[in-house]
Amino acid sequence: AQSVTQLDSQVPVFEEAPVELRCNYSSSVSVYLFWYVQYPNQGLQLLLKYLSGSTLVKGINGFEAEFNKSQTSFHLRKPSVHISDTAEYFCAVTKNTGNQFYFGTGTSLTVIP
Amino acid sequence: EAGVTQFPSHSVIEKGQTVTLRCDPISGHDNLYWYRRVMGKEIKFLLHFVKESKQDESGMPNNRFLAERTGGTYSTLKVQPAELEDSGVYFCASSLYRASSTDTQYFGPGTRLTVL
C-alpha cells in the first residue's frame, strides 16, 4: 500500500525567507510524485511532478523539489517566499500502474510580512 | 478554457437527508475522479470514471454513496442518507489521457458538505 506523510501541518515563514515543506512516502512499487497547491477558495493546482530522469524538478512560481529514492522523500523548496505563496500544499503519489492519487494531510504555509 | 467546476460550493444538510454533488470536467477529458477530504486528514480517492464507465470505485466508503457519469460528460455524487461522518470537502478532478498515471489531474474548487 502507498502512504504519504507530511510531517508539518503548519509552517509560518517570513517574507523573502527560504522554505522547505517535507514529504515522505512509502510504497512497495515505483511511484510518480506530485506537489499540488490550494489557494484560498480555489481548486488544487499542480506545482510540479517527478516522473523520471533528473531528481531535481522545477515547477511554477519558483518552487522546486528533489526526489530522493533512498530516503523516500520529495521535499518542496523555495529560496525566497512571497506573501502570495500563502496556501495549503499537498504532496501526492501515484503508482506507475494506476491512476489513483494518494495524498498527504497537507501543509499550511503562512508567509508573514 | 474553463476548468473543472463543481456545484454547489457549500451544502449544509441534516443527518438522514440526501445531497447530490455535481462535477463538470474540462471538456474532452475522458477521466473523471472524485476525492474527499475529511477535516484535518488527507485527501482520499473515492472513484475514477473513464467516460461513462467506473474504472475503479475502491475508495467508495459504503453503499450510501452513488456516483454516475451520464453520457461521459458531467458526474454526480449522491449521498443518501447522509451521516455526520460524511462531512468534508469533496473534490472532483479530470485528466485527458486514458490509463496513464503520469497525467496531470486538474482539480475543481471542491464542495464543502456539512452534515448536522
Side-chain angles (χ1 to χ4, degrees), chain B residues 21-115:
Chain B
L21 313 180
R22 173 172 170 143
C23 168
D24 286 80
I26 293 172
S27 178
H29 280 195
D30 286 344
N31 296 281
L32 186 149
Y33 309 81
W34 283 98
Y35 292 85
R36 175 174 73 173
R37 188 186 190 198
V38 173
M39 185 180 294
K41 302 209 169 180
E42 69 271 29
I43 300 170
K44 280 195 170 180
F45 168 83
L46 296 178
L47 88 159
H48 169 209
F49 283 100
V50 177
K51 296 187 177 179
E52 67 276 6
S53 301
K54 292 175 186 174
Q55 181 79 9
D56 180 356
E57 52 184 329
S58 61
M60 294 288 265
N62 51 61
N63 59 10
R64 295 186 293 104
F65 289 75
L66 175 64
E68 294 179 324
R69 190 179 183 193
T70 307
T73 55
Y74 70 90
S75 174
T76 57
L77 180 65
K78 181 190 288 188
V79 185
Q80 180 182 29
E83 298 288 345
L84 299 179
E85 64 264 25
D86 300 332
S87 295
V89 180
Y90 290 77
F91 291 101
C92 177
S94 70
S95 69
L96 180 60
Y97 297 108
R98 292 181 62 107
S100 171
S101 53
T102 64
D103 295 338
T104 295
Q105 293 188 17
Y106 297 88
F107 282 78
T111 293
R112 183 175 296 278
L113 174 64
T114 302
V115 182

